[in-house]
Amino acid sequence: MNRYPVWKYIIIVIALLFGVLYTLPNFFGESPAVQISSGKATMKLTPSTAERVGQALQKGSIASDSVVFEQSGTQGTVRVRFHDTDTQFKAKAFLEKELNTDPADPAFLISFNLLPNTPKWLQGLRAMPMYLGLDLRGGVHFLMQVDTKAVLNKRVQGLQASVRSVLRDKNVRHAGISRNGNTIEVAFRDEPTRALARAALEKDFGDVLFTEAATADGFKLQVALRPEAIKSTMEDGLKQNISTLSKRVNELGVAEPVIQRQGADRIVVELPGVQDVSRAKDIIGRTATLEVRMVDESITRGTEETAAVPLGSELFKVGRGVPVVLYKEPIITGDYIANASATFDQNHQAAVAIDLNGDGGRKMREATRGKIGKDMAIVLFEKNKGEVLTVATIRDELGSRFQITGSGSSTESSDLALLLRAGSLAAPMEIIEERTIGPQLGADNIEKGFKSVLYGFAAIAVFMVIYYHLFGFFSVLALSINLLLLLAVLSAMQATLTLPGMAAIAFTLGMAIDANVLINERIREELRAGASPQSAIAAGFDHAWATILDSNVTTMIAGLALLIFGSGAIRGFAVVHCLGILTSIFSSVFVMRGITNLWYGRRKKLSSLSIGQVWKPEA
């Protein structure tokens, strides 16, 4: 009656092994470290950079525990682990001086970091500690205001240029194009011409509203973006800024950063573990823009550095310092690039396929018409300094879709495509709130959170053992396994633990013990009704199961609602809460039944159960 088959005990043992292995990394702590990442969007770190860092540390007689190169996507970083924080500070200052020979234009970003001390055999099992959130680890919090009006202004400027270009292409004469707020006003001398212009514009623009007006000077056609187009423009701008910020934060090597939208025009950036606020601000506030320019061929090749640069041109460096003179006036900017992807040309050479929006395509066509064989360059401006990414030769008149070759290998083409897609912010941003949470405060939060869970667990354990005797001990054992499994699942998922998450763990313990109380009380009821001990155990677990399932399902629904509609701390609480319900059901029903069966199931002559006082009504 109360015997588990072997396979059920095997499942429990496997669950316990999983729990122990994946909870263990949380107890090894972290080592002070220094992280080196690229300071320029166009420079990549390779394994040879790690060798260079190791040689620099040897030169400075600074001992390190390990120097490791790691590749994450297209970004490479070097992480150096040290024995103590004194060596960490000394190494950072030395590497800053050794690697960045020009402090005004640093090629490497060197920041403090912490690396887990998890043994390699556990890392081989992908068992890593949980990430700690901003409130537990310390770090910086930025609230950024996005200038969405600037995004709309750019869009209206582009619309104005497009209207002028379409009317010129269709040979429709107008008496002037002006801008009034977000509306473009086109003046005409007669009504038939206005009707002709409207018909031409309606073909090319589907997201604008046309309004006709008559004035004393003639006839006007007002062109304005539809409300849904304005909303979409601002939304897209905000999304592009979030995407660009995410890529920049990766350079800091921050584990589990939070970059999320807040309201209509604000972005929250939380960087756990980052204490170098100025460096973080420098990176996330970086403004990069792209421009496509023509090469000034009035300067003879090879004499760029000695010849006088014409007034409307500038001298740049491409690749390994090869000089090139470009016209100052750009053909297009990065704002016109709709998409960029790595591909191969007809000669199977790596290339980058670029899609421009309507205005960009028109500008590109006009700029390259009749310039076959001329050179064109793509320039990335970062911190007010321009760097030529590539110089390509125009093989044909370019439109809204074209390819750039000569960027090197397929990997370099992928990097260039990434830069073209997300090299710049869609709109300027301003930091309106900045908070720094020190590591000591985070340590205090961890200690308080740990103590709250520990004391809550101890109080529950004492009460259960006193009130339910041996069954109380079984319940505490099942509760321990529940906590072990919950921590293991969170660690395996590499979830970020925050204070709300710790609150959810404490809350889960209460929920889990409630299930054990239900089971114990059902068994007591059966004993009170005169059932034999073996029958009382079987009936108690069976009757409690339906109640436990009902209560947990309703709680799970509430948790899922928090998970779906919540954000930030609420979402973190919901994740731990939902996982806790699953581990609670498993431990309180399946594991506790297994423990009970193991202890009592093989006793043929069982006269009583150690489950505390069973009160019976007087006859």
Side-chain angles (χ1 to χ4, degrees), residues 293-318 321-329 375-379 388 391:
R293 298 187 183 189
M294 293 299 296
V295 174
D296 186 348
E297 297 187 346
S298 64
I299 305 295
T300 308
R301 287 290 176 88
T303 64
E304 287 91 346
E305 290 186 304
T306 55
V309 178
L311 192 62
S313 300
E314 285 181 283
L315 178 65
F316 287 92
K317 295 289 179 64
V318 56
V322 179
V324 60
V325 178
L326 307 178
Y327 288 110
K328 287 183 179 177
E329 184 68 24
D375 288 337
M376 181 183 74
I378 295 179
V379 192
V388 177
V391 176

Side-chain angles (χ1 to χ4, degrees), residues 33-37 45-51 53-54 57 64-71 76-82 115-116 120 123:
V34 163
Q35 172 179 303
I36 299 104
S37 53
L45 267 60
T46 61
S48 63
T49 312
E51 294 178 12
V53 170
L57 291 172
S64 63
D65 292 345
S66 65
V67 181
V68 180
F69 172 78
E70 294 179 2
Q71 186 78 33
T77 54
V78 176
R79 291 189 170 95
V80 190
R81 189 190 299 263
F82 299 98
L115 295 179
K120 287 187 177 178
Q123 292 183 28

Side-chain angles (χ1 to χ4, degrees), residues 132 134-138 437-450:
L132 299 180
L134 194 69
D135 47 2
L136 296 182
R137 192 176 186 186
I437 300 174
Q440 186 56 46
L441 180 60
D444 290 344
N445 287 336
I446 291 177
E447 186 183 356
K448 288 175 183 174
F450 178 76

Side-chain angles (χ1 to χ4, degrees), residues 312-516:
S313 300
E314 285 181 283
L315 178 65
F316 287 92
K317 295 289 179 64
V318 56
R320 296 182 177 178
V322 179
V324 60
V325 178
L326 307 178
Y327 288 110
K328 287 183 179 177
E329 184 68 24
I331 302 172
I332 59 166
T333 63
D335 300 333
Y336 294 97
I337 296 175
N339 190 26
S341 57
T343 184
F344 294 92
D345 64 5
Q346 64 274 19
N347 298 320
H348 302 290
Q349 291 183 332
V352 177
I354 296 177
D355 292 341
L356 301 177
N357 59 22
D359 298 340
R362 194 172 299 112
K363 284 174 179 284
M364 185 61 82
R365 244 189 324 272
E366 291 171 356
T368 57
R369 191 172 295 153
K371 293 184 180 174
I372 310 299
K374 305 285 186 184
D375 288 337
M376 181 183 74
I378 295 179
V379 192
L380 176 72
F381 285 90
E382 210 169 17
K383 297 178 184 176
N384 297 322
K385 290 186 178 180
E387 185 173 356
V388 177
L389 297 178
T390 184
V391 176
T393 303
I394 301 171
R395 302 293 183 196
D396 202 355
E397 180 183 314
L398 303 178
S400 58
R401 290 176 63 86
F402 60 93
Q403 290 184 348
I404 297 174
T405 56
S407 55
S409 66
S410 58
T411 305
E412 288 166 333
S413 295
S414 299
D415 294 346
L416 178 56
L418 181 67
L419 273 176
L420 294 173
R421 282 199 304 271
S424 60
L425 294 169
M429 294 187 298
E430 181 188 2
I431 296 175
I432 58 173
E433 182 182 300
E434 175 187 325
R435 283 190 286 122
T436 304
I437 300 174
Q440 186 56 46
L441 180 60
D444 290 344
N445 287 336
I446 291 177
E447 186 183 356
K448 288 175 183 174
F450 178 76
K451 283 182 177 175
S452 65
V453 174
L454 179 66
Y455 294 155
F457 185 89
I460 290 172
V462 170
F463 171 80
M464 292 298 288
V465 172
I466 291 175
Y467 195 68
Y468 292 111
H469 296 185
L470 187 58
F471 270 81
F473 177 74
F474 292 162
S475 300
V476 173
L477 203 55
L479 196 64
S480 306
I481 293 171
N482 177 32
L483 186 60
L484 187 74
L485 291 178
L486 179 57
L487 294 178
V489 171
L490 290 172
S491 302
M493 290 173 60
Q494 286 287 277
T496 301
L497 185 64
T498 59
L499 270 180
M502 294 190 87
I505 291 175
F507 184 63
T508 300
L509 292 180
M511 290 286 298
I513 203 62
D514 185 50
N516 292 120

Side-chain angles (χ1 to χ4, degrees), residues 279-299:
R279 177 56 55 83
K281 287 171 71 174
D282 186 42
I283 290 178
I284 65 175
R286 183 188 295 170
T287 53
T289 54
L290 283 165
E291 289 184 4
V292 178
R293 298 187 183 189
M294 293 299 296
V295 174
D296 186 348
E297 297 187 346
S298 64
I299 305 295

Side-chain angles (χ1 to χ4, degrees), residues 90-214:
K90 185 179 173 186
K92 180 178 182 291
F94 182 78
L95 289 173
E96 288 270 15
K97 186 179 175 183
E98 193 70 16
L99 298 179
N100 291 323
T101 51
D102 181 6
D105 185 22
F108 297 92
L109 297 173
I110 302 167
S111 55
F112 294 120
N113 207 333
L114 291 171
L115 295 179
N117 289 328
T118 309
K120 287 187 177 178
W121 65 274
L122 278 174
Q123 292 183 28
L125 297 171
R126 302 186 66 80
M128 301 293 287
M130 281 181 285
Y131 292 124
L132 299 180
L134 194 69
D135 47 2
L136 296 182
R137 192 176 186 186
V140 290
H141 164 103
F142 296 117
L143 179 60
M144 312 187 81
Q145 176 80 45
V146 180
D147 186 0
T148 51
K149 288 182 181 176
V151 182
L152 183 61
N153 186 46
K154 278 186 187 178
R155 181 81 167 83
V156 176
Q157 279 181 350
L159 179 65
Q160 184 176 0
S162 301
V163 168
R164 181 180 283 111
S165 179
V166 169
L167 294 180
R168 186 171 60 242
D169 290 348
K170 303 290 182 184
N171 290 322
V172 179
R173 297 178 66 83
H174 57 81
I177 298 177
S178 59
R179 179 176 171 181
N180 183 10
N182 291 329
T183 303
I184 309 301
E185 294 182 342
V186 190
F188 298 94
R189 291 191 173 83
D190 55 67
E191 193 169 357
T193 308
R194 182 175 67 180
L196 189 64
R198 178 169 181 166
L201 293 173
E202 281 180 338
K203 284 183 181 176
D204 282 29
F205 301 100
D207 55 353
V208 298
L209 291 171
F210 296 96
T211 308
E212 295 180 353

